[in-house]
Amino acid sequence: QVQLVESGGGLVQAGGSLRLSCAASGNMLRFNAMGWYRQAPGKQRELVAIITSGGTTNNADSVKGRFTISRDIAKNTVYLQMNSLKPEDTAVYYCNAEGTMHYWGKGTLVTVSS
């Protein structure tokens, strides 16, 4: 059974930074990709950033230049470094692993105050 455990959310002022972590159970390279999604109140869940098993990354246009996805293969952990945070980044952030199906963490809340 796949488990994804997120951490690192919290309250931060606009312009600040946070780093989210997602620890996966087992070898993370067995997944085609891992990524971060977010869901703001009243909105659909959207892709924020993704990293493939080969290490290729891609970010949503709304976070390019501000957010960086990375990984530590030895720790089976994916990170999301979020800089220059804006109030519109406020959302629950979910870790995702794509294998034969999509696996989800429980989410971590990020609140950016203006």
Side-chain angles (χ1 to χ4, degrees):
Q1 184 176 356
V2 175
Q3 289 188 319
L4 303 173
V5 180
E6 303 105 330
S7 61
L11 174 63
V12 64
Q13 289 188 329
S17 298
L18 282 175
R19 188 176 83 154
L20 306 182
S21 300
C22 171
S25 59
N27 184 0
M28 66 187 297
L29 294 181
R30 71 190 190 275
F31 302 118
N32 298 324
M34 292 188 69
W36 290 95
Y37 288 70
R38 68 185 180 186
Q39 188 166 18
K43 295 188 177 181
Q44 289 188 330
R45 190 172 298 188
E46 63 175 0
L47 175 66
V48 176
I50 192 168
I51 183 166
T52 70
S53 58
T56 301
T57 62
N58 194 25
N59 287 3
D61 288 343
S62 59
V63 305
K64 281 183 179 177
R66 300 189 298 123
F67 291 11
T68 302
I69 189 170
S70 63
R71 67 185 181 184
D72 186 329
I73 295 172
K75 295 182 178 180
N76 293 311
T77 299
V78 174
Y79 304 98
L80 185 68
Q81 178 66 44
M82 306 186 293
N83 299 329
S84 302
L85 282 160
K86 305 175 181 180
E88 51 264 43
D89 295 317
T90 295
V92 177
Y93 285 70
Y94 296 92
C95 181
N96 173 269
E98 179 186 337
T100 54
M101 58 182 288
H102 282 267
Y103 302 93
W104 297 93
K106 293 183 178 180
T108 185
L109 177 63
V110 172
T111 303
V112 184
S113 63
S114 58

